[in-house]
Amino acid sequence: MKVNTSGLFIDNPAFPLLTGLFAYQGVTTANGNAGGTTWADAGLATEPSYNGHYIKILSGPAAGEGKPILAIVAGVGTVTSAFSDAAGAPIQITAGTRYVILSQDSSLAIALLAGLAVPVPDSVDNILERDVIGNKEDAAVIVVDITTSIIAYVKGLINQIATALLNMAVPAADAVANALHRDVIGNKTSTPVYTPDNVSDQMRYQKGNMNTINMLVEAPVSHVVETFQSELGMPEALFEWTHPATGTPWNILTNGAYRVFYTIPAASENARLNGRRLWLITPSVYGTNLIQRKTICEWVIRLTNVANIDNAGFLFGLTPLKADTRASNNIIGFGLVGDALQTITDLAGVETVNTGFGETLTNVNKFRIEAYAGHVKFFLNEVQIADHVTNLANLPMYQNIYILNEAGGTSTFELMSNRMWVETIAR
């Protein structure tokens, strides 16, 4: 029944207190279930819904105990957990038990408790942190919605933090000696990044910054840098060349934004450009007992009619003899295979090669070779495309550019700039 206010005057202070705090008071008309999770009152069948409200028992072994109401159906109410006696044992709510239903709605608290529920022990070992936070069955959620419990979001956050830590993991020990600072910062396989993007991890930027700092304290040897800005063309003190027999000889011109040193051999003809200086290229020997720790060579090159170039002979890179070609032993450089770019290191006729870089050789491209302790690395437009650690020749070498055309027609080789230098620090 509704709250009994008989015997109270309307101006009695207890009147609004009783009607405000209690929505219903009653006496059970039948026994609830033996498990103590229900009570029965036929008067509830004609009452509005009290789902989410709070029931408090006033008499019997469970007197004083209260529970949130889950549902009331046909005069039988169900609570969230069993009523209990003084010893904590479940107690049946029998007929004749007095009780009240409070006015306050506890449905929000019930929902929060459901979201924070501790998982029931089972025989499956907990593997992840999220197995012991909230319900074990809750799946991790990252995208916010209006139905997911707070624990699912906590699990999603844990997963994201774990993923971030994986990107910063220290590399596992392996059999390859660390040669550079960047090998021991973050994952050893992470490569330096210099231009910000939306996919690279923090370690790649740190490696790029370290390289940049090292470059600031180690300048290239200026007298072997040539950018072809004068009308004199290539400096003969540093370079020598072989003109094609009948094709266009090596010459210099302005082509758009570039000063270009170029040649156009005729079909079946060749042309060559050599550096006069021998460089110590010893990737398996560089170490603290030598002044030089790394040698770097860069070219800015554009090709035309690549299909007419003889892949078996074409090469630009470093060779022990000025007359060497792609077919020679003990070479380091860029060549062609199937008219596509190929990286090459050769030791006594045994080669390490890589290809499949997706390049467009008829564009202006920047090529770079770095030789240092245990490595020869190849770069295309400042992106590392290959790292050779086998078949590394240790010899003094010349810069060598050799162009050979097939019988099908001509090709043009354009060299925009070239520089080569040694460094005395490893980076």
Side-chain angles (χ1 to χ4, degrees):
M1 62 182 174
K2 297 294 185 182
V3 177
N4 184 5
T5 57
S6 62
L8 295 177
F9 291 107
I10 193 68
D11 58 349
N12 190 312
F15 186 89
L17 184 64
L18 285 173
T19 56
L21 291 178
F22 302 116
Y24 181 88
Q25 68 181 70
V27 178
T28 56
T29 56
N31 292 340
N33 65 11
T37 59
T38 66
W39 83 99
D41 181 353
L44 290 172
T46 58
E47 290 291 317
S49 172
Y50 293 120
N51 295 350
H53 286 250
Y54 210 77
I55 178 175
K56 184 174 182 178
I57 303 299
L58 301 180
S59 64
E65 189 170 15
K67 299 287 183 181
I69 298 172
L70 287 178
I72 299 175
V73 180
V76 177
T78 304
V79 293
T80 57
S81 58
F83 291 104
S84 58
D85 58 18
I91 188 72
Q92 184 181 34
I93 304 301
T94 58
T97 301
R98 292 186 298 110
Y99 70 94
V100 292
I101 295 176
L102 304 184
S103 297
Q104 185 175 2
D105 188 339
S106 60
S107 58
L108 178 60
I110 294 172
L112 289 175
L113 289 173
L116 293 166
V118 176
V120 177
D122 56 35
S123 59
V124 180
D125 289 340
N126 295 323
I127 299 175
L128 304 176
E129 291 180 47
R130 66 186 188 201
D131 287 341
V132 290
I133 299 178
N135 285 310
K136 182 177 287 190
E137 296 79 11
D138 284 348
V141 170
I142 297 174
V143 180
V144 176
D145 57 40
I146 59 173
T147 59
T148 302
S149 71
I150 190 171
I151 298 307
Y153 294 119
V154 172
K155 293 181 180 181
L157 180 60
I158 290 174
N159 281 356
Q160 288 185 301
I161 293 173
T163 300
L165 290 175
L166 286 175
N167 287 336
M168 302 178 71
V170 175
D174 55 35
V176 180
N178 295 324
L180 300 176
H181 293 274
R182 68 188 187 203
D183 287 341
V184 289
I185 299 178
N187 286 310
K188 182 177 287 190
T189 55
S190 292
T191 55
V193 168
Y194 304 94
T195 303
D197 56 42
N198 60 359
V199 295
S200 298
D201 62 65
Q202 183 182 11
M203 290 299 110
R204 298 188 67 191
Y205 293 114
Q206 290 191 16
K207 293 182 180 183
N209 290 339
M210 179 172 289
N211 280 0
T212 301
I213 292 170
N214 284 337
M215 289 176 67
L216 292 175
V217 299
E218 179 68 28
V221 181
S222 60
H223 70 276
V224 293
V225 175
E226 175 56 52
T227 55
F228 319 138
Q229 297 305 312
S230 73
E231 291 298 331
L232 299 178
M234 296 290 286
E236 294 189 25
L238 300 176
F239 299 95
E240 58 186 356
W241 46 86
T242 302
H243 296 301
T246 63
T248 303
W250 287 101
N251 202 352
I252 192 166
L253 57 76
T254 297
N255 188 348
Y258 305 99
R259 290 290 285 170
V260 178
F261 196 66
Y262 74 102
T263 184
I264 310 176
S268 301
E269 287 188 347
N270 65 76
R272 187 187 297 275
L273 178 66
N274 288 123
R276 292 184 181 274
R277 177 173 176 165
L278 273 171
W279 297 81
L280 182 63
I281 310 297
T282 54
S284 300
V285 177
Y286 288 139
T288 56
N289 60 325
L290 296 177
I291 294 175
Q292 57 267 61
R293 302 291 296 279
K294 176 185 282 190
T295 302
I296 300 174
C297 190
E298 295 181 329
W299 303 266
V300 177
I301 292 172
R302 176 167 54 195
L303 303 176
T304 63
N305 300 324
V306 178
N308 291 335
I309 297 176
D310 188 333
N311 293 190
F314 176 81
L315 175 76
F316 62 96
L318 306 168
T319 63
L321 300 175
K322 293 180 181 179
D324 283 336
T325 71
R326 172 64 182 85
S328 302
N329 293 344
N330 303 316
I331 61 175
I332 296 172
F334 294 93
L336 295 175
V337 59
D339 294 330
L341 189 68
Q342 182 183 54
T343 59
I344 310 144
T345 53
D346 181 290
L347 178 61
V350 181
E351 294 185 346
T352 297
V353 296
N354 280 285
T355 191
F357 310 123
E359 73 286 341
T360 303
L361 294 174
T362 53
N363 290 345
V364 175
N365 292 294
K366 178 183 177 182
F367 301 89
R368 176 184 175 107
I369 293 176
E370 294 184 2
Y372 63 94
H375 296 265
V376 172
K377 291 189 174 181
F378 298 83
F379 298 79
L380 175 64
N381 298 326
E382 299 188 354
V383 176
Q384 180 180 310
I385 56 174
D387 179 8
H388 292 202
V389 296
T390 57
N391 300 315
L392 309 180
N394 297 293
L395 292 167
M397 295 189 185
Y398 297 97
Q399 283 198 70
N400 190 352
I401 296 174
Y402 180 69
I403 307 100
L404 176 63
N405 283 338
E406 298 174 336
T410 66
S411 68
T412 303
F413 185 96
E414 298 179 330
L415 180 64
M416 281 72 170
S417 61
N418 163 241
R419 67 174 181 169
M420 186 167 181
W421 72 96
V422 297
E423 294 184 347
T424 59
I425 58 175
R427 60 179 175 87

